[in-house]
Amino acid sequence: MPLPPSNVSRHPLHTRSIRVQSYGRDDGLWDLEAELIDVKAYDFPRQDGEIFRAGRPIHHMHLRITIDDAFNIVAAQAVYDAAPYEQQCTAVEASYARLIGMNLLKGFRRQVKERFGHTAGCTHMTELSQVLPTAAVQTMANRRRQNSNPDKRPFQLDGCHALRTDGPVVLEHYPKWYTGDSAEAAADAISDSPSFSHSS
């Protein structure tokens, strides 16, 4: 469902697009490739007198990481197609190899800010990296379901409003971990589940 139209006349100024594509690799690892593009909806003059045309990317950057099945980053590469200060921006590309060794699910965003904050990194490349943990979780979702331990609490519970443990989604899909008032309903849901075993 789209947003309702604005009730005030307006005109476009800036568009930021972020896209992530993930791949399963033949060596058992996974690649995530993130891309950020910024464009203006109007022409404007640069300091050197050049007119920067509407629709031409001001920022266009790519970040690829390779992860293992525990969400550890084993390879990382950053590249630029466009940057406002050209080589002064692109000189930081190699720094993002320092993502290697981080784990996407263990304090990743905090560590990235600490390691690449201020002059140690690129604001936009660092911001692009922040979408990687949730993209990785979606990438690995089917594998995690296939290999899930029924006795281990799913990590995503209480991670958002829909998956609160006292809510209807958890009651329906994860009744074992339901904490709401409908305890009897949860017990019935568990016993009706095709994966339920009296020996578990």
Side-chain angles (χ1 to χ4, degrees):
M1 180 178 181
L3 288 168
S6 172
N7 57 9
V8 176
S9 180
R10 59 186 187 171
H11 56 279
L13 295 173
H14 180 85
T15 299
R16 167 164 291 181
S17 302
I18 293 177
R19 178 176 179 269
V20 182
Q21 178 70 56
S22 59
Y23 301 89
R25 295 166 38 129
D26 291 344
D27 60 2
L29 301 175
W30 290 264
D31 282 341
L32 279 76
E33 296 186 352
E35 177 184 36
L36 181 150
I37 303 174
D38 279 334
V39 298
K40 299 295 185 188
Y42 52 86
D43 298 345
F44 63 91
R46 296 180 54 160
Q47 286 187 334
D48 61 5
E50 177 193 2
I51 299 300
F52 203 95
R53 298 298 179 187
R56 176 181 169 189
I58 299 170
H59 300 107
H60 189 180
M61 53 197 60
H62 309 266
L63 180 61
R64 177 196 293 148
I65 62 168
T66 302
I67 61 173
D68 63 18
D69 58 5
F71 295 90
N72 298 306
I73 299 176
V74 299
Q77 183 177 15
V79 297
Y80 291 79
D81 284 333
Y85 303 107
E86 299 172 346
Q87 66 268 25
Q88 298 303 319
C89 292
T90 61
V92 80
E93 285 177 347
S95 298
Y96 284 86
R98 296 170 59 213
L99 290 168
I100 296 171
M102 292 186 182
N103 184 286
L104 290 175
L105 303 186
K106 298 178 180 178
F108 175 77
R109 293 186 176 97
R110 173 184 55 78
Q111 291 178 55
V112 167
K113 289 177 181 178
E114 291 172 354
R115 190 167 296 186
F116 301 100
H118 305 292
T119 60
C122 164
T123 301
H124 299 87
M125 191 69 78
T126 296
E127 183 175 349
L128 182 58
S129 74
Q130 303 297 290
V131 305
L132 295 173
T134 50
V137 169
Q138 291 297 316
T139 296
M140 306 284 272
N142 190 51
R143 179 182 176 84
R144 290 176 73 90
R145 277 193 294 269
Q146 292 171 350
N147 299 329
S148 63
N149 178 350
D151 295 321
K152 183 177 180 181
R153 185 181 187 271
F155 77 96
Q156 66 268 35
L157 299 188
D158 282 330
C160 69
H161 176 75
L163 290 172
R164 64 193 186 278
T165 52
D166 62 350
V169 173
V170 171
L171 175 60
E172 179 179 355
H173 297 282
Y174 305 97
K176 179 175 182 176
W177 308 103
Y178 178 73
T179 61
D181 296 330
S182 302
E184 183 176 339
D188 289 344
I190 293 171
S191 62
D192 290 342
S193 171
S195 61
F196 175 76
S197 168
H198 290 285
S199 62
S200 61

